Amino acid sequence: MPTLRLRHELSSEQLKEMQRYLDEMPIECILAGLRFSYKRWLAEKHGMLIVGRRSKVKQEVEMLTLEQARWRLENWSKMIRVYREKGYSYPTIHRIKRALMHIAST
């Protein structure tokens, strides 16, 4: 059976917690979580992730008036192009649209 080497010292509580995860969770879930954590840690380490900043959705819709929200929804194909140029993903664009629809419905 292979052994797992760690560079860091663990407290007994941390070791018990890690052992519980390794015993109870499928290895695919553990590896997926580690991949996510590693990528997030790298992004934070290299300054690409600023933890605690306002979300992109809030930045886009927070200060809009009712008329502005309606205009953006009426010209949605143009807005998608603008958001893609800003580097937003399609799920983020969809969240912006939902927020705009909420503003327009009030």
Side-chain angles (χ1 to χ4, degrees), residues 52-66:
R53 71 175 184 180
R54 292 173 43 207
S55 75
K56 293 176 183 177
V57 176
K58 283 185 182 176
Q59 288 176 346
E60 292 294 336
V61 301
E62 191 173 43
M63 302 299 284
L64 294 179
T65 64
L66 179 63

Side-chain angles (χ1 to χ4, degrees), residues 8-67:
H8 307 284
E9 292 292 321
L10 297 176
S11 68
S12 62
E13 294 84 23
Q14 290 172 326
L15 184 60
K16 286 178 187 176
E17 185 178 7
M18 283 194 65
Q19 189 63 54
R20 188 183 77 215
Y21 296 147
L22 292 171
D23 290 341
E24 295 180 14
M25 295 175 62
I27 194 67
E28 294 83 17
C29 291
I30 294 169
L31 290 176
L34 286 172
R35 281 187 208 107
F36 173 81
S37 297
Y38 180 72
K39 288 178 184 177
R40 182 178 172 90
W41 174 76
L42 277 180
E44 189 175 342
K45 179 181 170 187
H46 294 294
M48 294 183 287
L49 175 69
I50 303 169
V51 178
R53 71 175 184 180
R54 292 173 43 207
S55 75
K56 293 176 183 177
V57 176
K58 283 185 182 176
Q59 288 176 346
E60 292 294 336
V61 301
E62 191 173 43
M63 302 299 284
L64 294 179
T65 64
L66 179 63
E67 293 79 24

